Amino acid sequence: MKYSKEAKPERAAGGRSRAVPVALLFVVLCAFSFYLGGIYSTGRSLLDVAASNGIVKASSSAAPAVVRTTGTNSKAVVFPECPADYQDYTPCTDPKRWRKYGNYRLSFMERHCPPPVERKECLVPPPQGYKAPIRWPKSKDQCWYRNVPYDWINSQKSNQHWLRKEGDKFIFPGGGTMFPNGVGAYADLMAELIPGMRDGTVRTALDTGCGVASWGGDLLGRGILTLSLAPRDNHEAQVQFALERGIPAILGIISTQRLPFPSAAFDMAHCSRCLIPWTEFGGLYLLEVHRVLRPGGFWALSGPPVNYENRWHGWNTTAAAQKADLDRLKRTLASMCFKPYSKKGDIAVWQKSTDPACYDKLTPVSSPAKCDDSVDPDAAWYVPMRSCLTAPSSTRYKKLALDATPKWPHRLAVAPERIATVPGSSAGAFKHDDGKWKLRTKHYKALLPALGSDKIRNVMDMNTVYGGFAASLIKDPVWVMNVVSSYGPNSLGVVFDRGLIGTNHDWCEAFSTYPRTYDLLHLDGLFTAESHRCEMKFVLLEMDRILRPTGYAIIRENAYFLDSVATIAKGMRWNCDKHDTEYKADKEKVLICQKRLWSGKH
C-alpha cells in the first residue's frame, strides 16, 4: 500500500507539537494534585471548597454524614436518639450479643466489644421520668426508682434486705446475704479480725461479686476506698445501683482474662458469698486474687464453705461436702503462700505471705506452677489468665509489702518505690506532677464552682499518669476513677500505691460501666495522645453515654482539637464554654461542658 506525500507525517514538526501538550498536561496534573493535597491537609472536602468559591450552594442539612475530627472547619452535626430499649446499653458487655460467645467459665460475660461497623452513633436516652440523682451522702441510702427502674433484685432479694422500694425511691437498708444484722455489724466484726482496717494500714479494697455494694459503701466511712466488681448478669443492674448511690464500682468478672489492674494493687480483697468457684480449674481464680493483692494483703471470705458446721442446712448440701470444700480451699491457699490470719463466725481471713522465700518451692511443674520470666505480672488489658504464679524478686516484694507502705493518708503524697519501674518517671517527676495538679484544680474550681460541692460525686480522670487530679480532690466529697491508657506507660501501680483506685483502659472502646454513672469526666490531652488510633467522635459519644444528665466534662486539650470537640459536643446537646488555662497559654485551652437533661421521644 502506497502513501501519498500529503499523508506522511512530518516527524520533526509533529514531534515538537506533541511534546508541548504532554508537558503541559503533566504540569496541570501536578498542580491539581498539589491543590487536592492542600485541601485534604486542612480537613476540607471538595464540596467545602466549591461552596466557599460559590460553585455549589452549602448544604443546609442538620445531620451531615461526615464529622471532621481535626481542624477548625468542622461542620455542624446532630446525633439521633438511640431507641428507648438502649437506656441501659453497655456496648462491650451487651446481653444481646452473648450468644455469639462460649459458655466456658462464663466467658460470654467478659468484654466483647462490637466491631467498628456495629458501633452506635446515637445518644443513649435516660429512662422515662429520670431526674437528677440524690446527692451524697443521702444517696448512699436511697435513690430515685425511675433512675434505675429494675425490680428483679427487689423481688428476688427482698428477704436479704439488699434494697426495698418505697414510693418513688429505692431504699438501701444495708443488708446482704451474709450480713443479716446489717453491713455495719458485719464490717465491725471484720475490723476486729483485721486491725489494719482501723489504723490506715488497709486503704484500698476489691469486692468481688459486690451486690449493690453495701460493703464498699460502709467502708468509705472508715477511710477504706473499695472498688466493687460485678458482671452484668440476671441481677440486672447491681453495678448501676452502686454508682447511682455514689459508691465506686465497675463491670467485670473473673473468668478467662485478667482483671484490668496491675499486680500488688489492693491491700484487701473480699468475697461475701459471691459464688465464685475458688478451688476449680486448679485455683485459677485465686491466682488472680493473689496477683492483684499486695504482699501482706488480706483476703476475706464469708459464705460457703466458711462456718459450714452451722450453715450447711441452708446451702442445699451436706456437712461432709462442705468440710471437703473447706479442706480443699485451705490446701489451695497454702500452695499460693497464703496463711490463715483470723476467723470468727461467718468470716475467715487469710494473709498473703510477706516472705519471698515462700516461693522458692515453686517450679515449672509444681502446683501451682512458677511462671516463666516472660510473664509480666502488671500486664492486664486483654491478657489471658495463666495457671501459674509469679515469684517476685525479694527486693520488689519487700518494697510492695503492706507493712512497708506508708499508712493512709501519708501514702498519698509519698512517691512510691514502684515509680522507678515506670518509663520516664522519677520521684522528682512525681513531686512536680503533684504540685501541677494542685494549681490546675484550683483553676478548675474557679471555672466550675460545682466542683468541690455536693453536686459532683462520681468523677473519672480519663487519662491520668500518677493520679494527681484525684489527689488534689481528696478533701472534697468525691471519689475518682483513675484511668491509665493501656497503650502508654503503665503507671497504674503508682496510683494504687498512693491509696487511690483506677483501671487500665483503651478509649478506642467503650468503658465497663452503665450509662449515666459519672457526674464529672476529666480529660487531659487524650485526643492529642490517641487521635492517631481513636476517632474523636466515638470517644465523645462514649463520654455522653456514661455522663449523667446535668453532669460536667472538663476537657483540657491542644487548641487545635477544641473547635472540633465543641462542634461534636453541641451535636450531643452539651453546652460548652472555652477558657484559658491557669497559665493562659495559647497552645492549650480548657473546655467546660454540661450535658443537658432531655427526655427520649420513643
Side-chain angles (χ1 to χ4, degrees), residues 582-593:
E582 62 281 358
Y583 301 113
K584 301 190 182 303
D586 292 332
K587 293 183 178 180
E588 203 173 44
K589 297 293 181 181
V590 176
L591 200 67
I592 305 289
C593 300

Side-chain angles (χ1 to χ4, degrees), residues 43-346:
R44 300 172 69 191
S45 69
L46 287 173
L47 290 177
D48 293 334
V49 177
S52 64
N53 292 329
I55 300 174
V56 298
K57 293 183 179 181
S59 172
S60 60
S61 172
V66 178
V67 179
R68 310 284 175 232
T69 58
T70 57
T72 60
N73 295 308
S74 299
K75 289 183 178 180
V77 59
V78 175
F79 294 100
E81 297 175 13
C82 299
D85 60 353
Y86 277 78
Q87 67 182 32
D88 61 352
Y89 179 51
T90 53
C92 295
T93 51
D94 186 0
K96 296 178 181 178
R97 305 177 70 247
W98 280 354
R99 291 185 180 181
K100 297 182 178 181
Y101 311 105
N103 293 329
Y104 180 65
R105 298 200 330 235
L106 301 180
S107 59
F108 62 90
M109 291 185 178
E110 293 185 302
R111 288 180 59 86
H112 300 286
C113 298
V117 294
E118 295 182 17
R119 287 178 175 176
K120 304 300 178 186
E121 296 186 36
C122 55
L123 306 180
V124 175
Q128 186 177 2
Y130 181 93
K131 48 185 163 182
I134 296 171
R135 296 180 182 179
W136 183 265
K138 289 183 178 180
S139 63
K140 187 175 76 169
D141 301 320
Q142 55 186 274
C143 75
W144 299 116
Y145 166 74
R146 294 307 317 173
N147 287 14
V148 195
Y150 307 115
D151 289 318
W152 190 93
I153 297 179
N154 182 40
S155 60
Q156 297 295 319
K157 299 289 184 178
S158 58
N159 62 323
Q160 296 171 10
H161 307 293
W162 285 21
L163 74 167
R164 66 175 182 269
K165 186 174 182 294
E166 292 185 359
D168 59 354
K169 294 179 181 178
F170 275 127
I171 305 299
F172 301 91
T177 309
M178 294 309 302
F179 27 95
N181 297 322
V183 67
Y186 178 83
D188 287 341
L189 175 57
M190 193 170 291
E192 290 180 18
L193 301 177
I194 309 174
M197 292 175 64
R198 293 176 168 172
D199 65 3
T201 300
V202 173
R203 164 60 181 172
T204 58
L206 175 67
D207 188 15
T208 55
C210 65
V212 294
S214 292
W215 185 73
D218 181 88
L219 263 57
L220 287 171
R222 302 170 189 256
I224 298 175
L225 189 57
T226 302
L227 184 52
S228 296
L229 177 79
R232 174 157 185 170
D233 63 0
N234 62 347
H235 287 189
E236 286 186 312
Q238 45 190 331
V239 164
Q240 192 170 18
F241 274 118
L243 289 161
E244 187 70 17
R245 300 174 68 186
I247 301 171
I250 191 171
L251 284 168
I253 186 174
I254 305 179
S255 177
T256 68
Q257 306 285 335
R258 284 181 174 181
L259 297 176
F261 315 121
S263 65
F266 294 94
D267 306 331
M268 180 179 178
H270 170 254
C271 165
S272 173
R273 202 175 186 189
C274 56
L275 304 180
I276 297 174
W278 294 111
T279 58
E280 292 185 16
F281 312 108
L284 187 64
Y285 303 142
L286 281 172
L287 284 171
E288 181 63 0
V289 171
H290 182 281
R291 184 186 71 85
V292 301
L293 200 59
R294 193 177 297 277
F298 302 97
W299 185 60
L301 173 67
S302 65
V306 175
N307 198 18
Y308 73 90
E309 301 91 341
N310 300 311
R311 292 284 192 178
W312 68 270
H313 297 278
W315 292 344
N316 194 27
T317 183
T318 65
Q322 287 299 296
K323 182 181 184 304
D325 284 348
L326 183 59
D327 292 341
R328 185 163 53 251
L329 179 64
K330 289 179 178 179
R331 291 194 300 270
T332 304
L333 287 166
S335 71
M336 298 177 185
C337 297
F338 282 97
K339 58 184 180 181
Y341 187 78
S342 56
K343 179 184 180 299
K344 187 176 181 181
D346 293 325

